[in-house]
Amino acid sequence: MRTVGNDLVRHQLHENRKWYLGLGILLIVFALVLFGSLAFATLSVVFLFGVLMMVGGIAHIIAAFKIFEGGYRWLLVIFGILYCVAGYYAFKTPVQTAVVLTHLLGILLVIAGIIRILSSAIFRVYQGWGWTLFSGILTLATGILILVTPDAPFWVLGMFLAIDILFQGINYLSLASYIKYQLPKSSADV
C-alpha cells in the first residue's frame, strides 16, 4: 500500500514539474530585477513589515476579546495597538523605518557573530570548529559593515530580499531538475 502512495506522489511531482521550472525561472528573474533596484526592494521590505505589523496588531486585538479574559486581555490589546502603530509608521515614514530596521539587523548580526566566535572556542575540541569560527567572523564583519556604511539602509534590506528570492528560484529549478533526471515516475521504474 505504501508503494501506491509513493507512486501517487511521484506522479504528482512529475505532473507539476513544469510549474516548478516556471516558478523557479520567474523567481530568478524577479530577484535580478530586485538586484537592479535595491532601493525599491528595500521599500518593499518596509511596506511588507508595515502590513505584517498591522495584521499582527489586529490579530492581537481580536484574540484579546475572543480568546482571553481578565488582565491578560488588556496586555494583548496594548500589544495590538503598539503593533498597529509600528505598522502605521512603517507606511508613514518608510525611510526612517528602513534606517531603524537596517540598524537593528546590523546589531543582531554583530551579536550573532560574537556568539558564534565564542562558541567556536567552546567547540574547539571538535573537528570542524573552524567553520563555526569562520561563520562568526563573516557574520560579525557583515554586521559591522552594515552599521558603518552610511547608505546601507537604502540597499541592505533589499539585497537580503533579492538573495532570498534568488535562492528560492534556484531551489525550484533544482527540484524540477531532480524530478526530471533523478526521480523515477513509479516504483516499478526503480
Side-chain angles (χ1 to χ4, degrees):
M1 194 55 108
R2 215 168 148 200
T3 307
V4 173
N6 289 340
D7 284 346
L8 181 61
V9 170
R10 286 187 183 112
H11 175 72
Q12 287 175 340
L13 285 171
H14 278 280
E15 215 173 75
N16 295 323
R17 189 187 72 77
K18 290 181 182 177
W19 285 102
Y20 298 133
L21 184 66
L23 184 58
I25 292 169
L26 183 66
L27 286 172
I28 289 173
V29 168
F30 188 52
L32 293 175
V33 168
L34 290 175
F35 275 120
S37 58
L38 290 176
F40 171 76
T42 296
L43 282 178
S44 299
V45 171
V46 169
F47 288 134
L48 179 61
F49 171 79
V51 167
L52 292 175
M53 292 302 283
M54 295 286 244
V55 168
I58 292 168
H60 272 82
I61 293 169
I62 291 171
F65 291 105
K66 291 284 186 181
I67 300 171
F68 298 99
E69 296 177 7
Y72 190 67
R73 168 183 288 173
W74 298 109
L75 185 62
L76 279 178
V77 169
I78 291 170
F79 278 126
I81 292 170
L82 290 175
Y83 274 54
C84 288
V85 168
Y88 169 77
Y89 278 108
F91 287 110
K92 181 105 169 121
T93 59
V95 174
Q96 288 86 350
T97 304
V99 170
V100 169
L101 290 176
T102 302
H103 283 104
L104 282 174
L105 175 65
I107 291 167
L108 290 174
L109 287 172
V110 166
I111 292 169
I114 292 169
I115 290 171
R116 286 182 186 161
I117 290 169
L118 294 174
S119 295
S120 72
I122 295 169
F123 294 126
R124 195 170 181 159
V125 295
Y126 300 108
Q127 184 178 1
W129 70 273
W131 288 109
T132 305
L133 176 64
F134 181 67
S135 170
I137 292 169
L138 280 180
T139 304
L140 178 64
T142 303
I144 291 170
L145 180 67
I146 289 171
L147 291 173
V148 300
T149 305
D151 65 344
F154 303 106
W155 59 269
V156 167
L157 298 174
M159 184 185 68
F160 274 74
L161 176 66
I163 290 170
D164 179 59
I165 290 173
L166 176 67
F167 279 105
Q168 287 181 43
I170 291 169
N171 183 41
Y172 278 112
L173 288 181
S174 299
L175 177 61
S177 175
Y178 173 78
I179 292 169
K180 182 174 184 178
Y181 297 112
Q182 301 292 325
L183 186 68
K185 289 188 178 186
S186 70
S187 58
D189 297 335
V190 175

